[in-house]
C-alpha cells in the first residue's frame, strides 16, 4: 500500500490494512459500483440484519447514491447496534446529526445525534462539537456556540482513529468558528487565537478581516463588552463594573 497524504491508511488488526485512493476516481464508474454494492448489501441485510458491517456499508452506499433518507434510516440502525467496530458507530451518530439537519431540517434532532456522538467518544472528537457550535450559533445562543467551539479547539488530532477523521475540521474549521463566535460571546482572547490559527492554516481573507476587529479593540471597546455582562476571558479592564478595577 502507499502511505501518503493521498492515501489514508488504517490498520484494523490481525494483519488487515485499509486504504483509499481517489486520485483516479471516476464518478460514473463509482456510481455503477455503488449500484452493484446496493443490490449485494440489501440482499445480505435481508439475510442477516444484525451484521454491523453490512448495515454500516449499506448506509454509506445509500448516502453515496443520494438516497439520503434511506442513509439516515440505516445510520440510525447502526448507531443503536452494540458491538462491532466502534468508530463505525461514532460515524453513524455523526451522519445522523448531519442528515437530520440537512434533509429533515430538524435542529433539535440534529442536536440529539451530535450530543450522542460527543458522549460516545467522551468528547474526544472535534467534528460533532463544531457541528453543535454551528447549530447554536444559528440559534443565536452564542455562549453555547462558543463553549463547543472552544472545547473542540482544545482537542488533539485523533491520530489513532482510523475512520473518516475530518482533517480540515482540526486544521482550520474549528479555529475559524472560534474566531467568529468568540466575538459575539465577548471572549476576545479566544477569538484572537482562533483567527490567528485559522490564518496560519489557510490564510483566508475572511479570517484576516475578522482579526482586524480584535486588533482594533480599544480600552473603551473592552469596557463596553465587559459591562454587557459577557465577560472578557478573565482580563482586568480599568473602569469595568465587573472587573472592579
Amino acid at each position: 500500500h502507499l502511505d501518503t497524504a493521498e492515501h489514508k491508511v488504517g490498520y484494523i488488526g490481525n494483519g488487515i490494512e485499509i486504504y483509499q485512493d481517489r486520485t483516479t476516481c471516476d464518478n460514473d464508474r463509482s456510481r455503477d459500483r455503488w449500484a452493484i454494492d446496493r443490490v449485494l448489501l440489501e440482499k445480505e441485510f435481508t439475510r442477516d440484519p444484525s451484521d454491523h458491517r453490512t448495515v454500516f456499508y449499506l448506509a454509506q452506499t445509500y448516502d453515496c447514491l443520494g438516497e439520503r433518507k434511506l442513509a439516515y434510516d440505516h445510520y440510525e440502525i447502526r448507531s443503536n447496534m452494540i458491538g462491532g467496530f466502534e468508530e463505525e458507530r461514532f460515524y453513524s451518530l455523526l451522519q445522523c446529526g448531519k442528515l437530520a439537519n440537512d434533509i429533515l431540517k430538524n435542529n433539535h434532532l440534529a442536536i440529539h445525534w451530535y450530543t450522542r456522538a460527543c458522549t460516545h467518544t467522551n468528547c474526544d472528537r472535534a467534528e460533532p462539537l463544531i457541528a453543535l457550535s454551528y447549530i447554536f450559533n444559528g440559534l443565536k445562543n452564542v455562549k453555547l456556540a462558543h463553549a463547543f467551539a472552544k472545547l473542540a479547539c482544545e482537542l488533539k488530532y485523533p491520530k489513532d482513529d482510523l475512520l473518516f477523521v475530518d482533517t480540515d475540521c482540526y486544521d482550520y474549521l474549528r479555529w475559524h468558528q472560534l474566531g467568529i463566535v468568540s466575538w459575539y460571546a465577548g471572549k476576545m482572547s479566544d477569538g484572537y487565537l482562533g483567527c490567528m490559527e485559522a490564518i496560519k492554516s489557510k490564510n483566508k481573507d475572511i479570517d484576516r478581516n475578522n482579526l482586524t476587529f480584535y486588533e482594533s479593540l480599544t480600552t473603551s471597546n473592552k469596557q463596553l463588552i465587559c459591562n454587557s455582562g459577557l465577560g472578557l476571558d478573565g482580563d482586568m479592564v480599568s473602569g469595568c463594573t465587573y472587573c472592579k478595577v
Side-chain angles (χ1 to χ4, degrees):
H1 67 271
L2 297 175
D3 192 359
T4 69
E6 293 76 29
H7 299 70
K8 295 184 179 180
V9 181
Y11 302 90
I12 296 178
N14 298 321
I16 300 174
E17 301 175 356
I18 58 173
Y19 71 96
Q20 183 179 67
D21 179 6
R22 293 189 176 182
T23 57
T24 58
C25 182
D26 181 302
N27 288 336
D28 290 335
R29 290 178 60 188
S30 294
R31 192 169 186 84
D32 289 343
R33 188 189 71 246
W34 294 329
I36 295 170
D37 290 346
R38 175 180 183 166
V39 173
L40 296 173
L41 289 165
E42 285 178 338
K43 182 178 179 180
E44 186 62 21
F45 179 68
T46 300
R47 188 189 70 80
D48 182 8
S50 66
D51 186 88
H52 304 89
R53 305 305 295 275
T54 298
V55 175
F56 179 73
Y57 284 112
L58 182 55
Q60 281 215 291
T61 300
Y62 284 138
D63 210 356
C64 290
L65 289 169
E67 299 280 358
R68 306 191 79 195
K69 183 57 171 65
L70 283 171
Y72 175 85
D73 292 340
H74 287 76
Y75 280 128
E76 181 177 14
I77 294 170
R78 179 63 185 93
S79 72
N80 291 318
M81 297 173 76
I82 306 300
F85 187 30
E86 283 302 306
E87 287 182 42
E88 286 180 0
R89 193 174 178 204
F90 164 75
Y91 189 74
S92 296
L93 291 164
L94 193 66
Q95 289 301 98
C96 280
K98 183 179 188 306
L99 292 169
N101 198 42
D102 290 351
I103 65 170
L104 303 181
K105 308 301 181 184
N106 189 326
N107 280 332
H108 297 292
L109 186 58
I111 289 169
H112 162 79
W113 287 115
Y114 285 133
T115 302
R116 280 189 60 186
C118 288
T119 56
H120 185 73
T121 60
N122 197 30
C123 289
D124 283 338
R125 288 285 292 262
E127 296 95 328
L129 294 168
I130 288 301
L132 286 167
S133 180
Y134 279 123
I135 290 174
F136 281 112
N137 191 42
L139 295 172
K140 307 303 181 186
N141 191 328
V142 295
K143 288 188 177 181
L144 278 178
H146 168 265
F148 284 117
K150 184 171 183 178
L151 183 56
C153 289
E154 292 172 350
L155 298 178
K156 295 181 179 179
Y157 185 87
K159 58 183 179 61
D160 294 327
D161 288 358
L162 306 177
L163 196 63
F164 304 120
V165 176
D166 186 348
T167 302
D168 191 48
C169 180
Y170 288 89
D171 291 347
Y172 174 73
L173 286 177
R174 58 177 177 168
W175 299 110
H176 169 71
Q177 179 70 354
L178 185 66
I180 294 173
V181 298
S182 296
W183 178 266
Y184 299 102
K187 302 296 183 180
M188 301 298 115
S189 62
D190 288 343
Y192 182 85
L193 175 64
C195 290
M196 292 295 290
E197 291 296 323
I199 291 168
K200 187 187 301 183
S201 175
K202 290 197 174 181
N203 197 28
K204 287 189 173 184
D205 289 343
I206 187 172
D207 299 299
R208 292 197 301 273
N209 183 64
N210 288 344
L211 182 64
T212 64
F213 286 93
Y214 293 103
E215 291 179 331
S216 67
L217 284 173
T218 64
T219 299
S220 61
N221 292 141
K222 291 182 179 181
Q223 289 173 1
L224 179 62
I225 292 166
C226 282
N227 286 328
S228 71
L230 292 174
L232 192 65
D233 301 337
D235 295 341
M236 305 299 282
V237 177
S238 179
C240 173
T241 304
Y242 292 88
C243 292
K244 307 294 186 185
V245 295

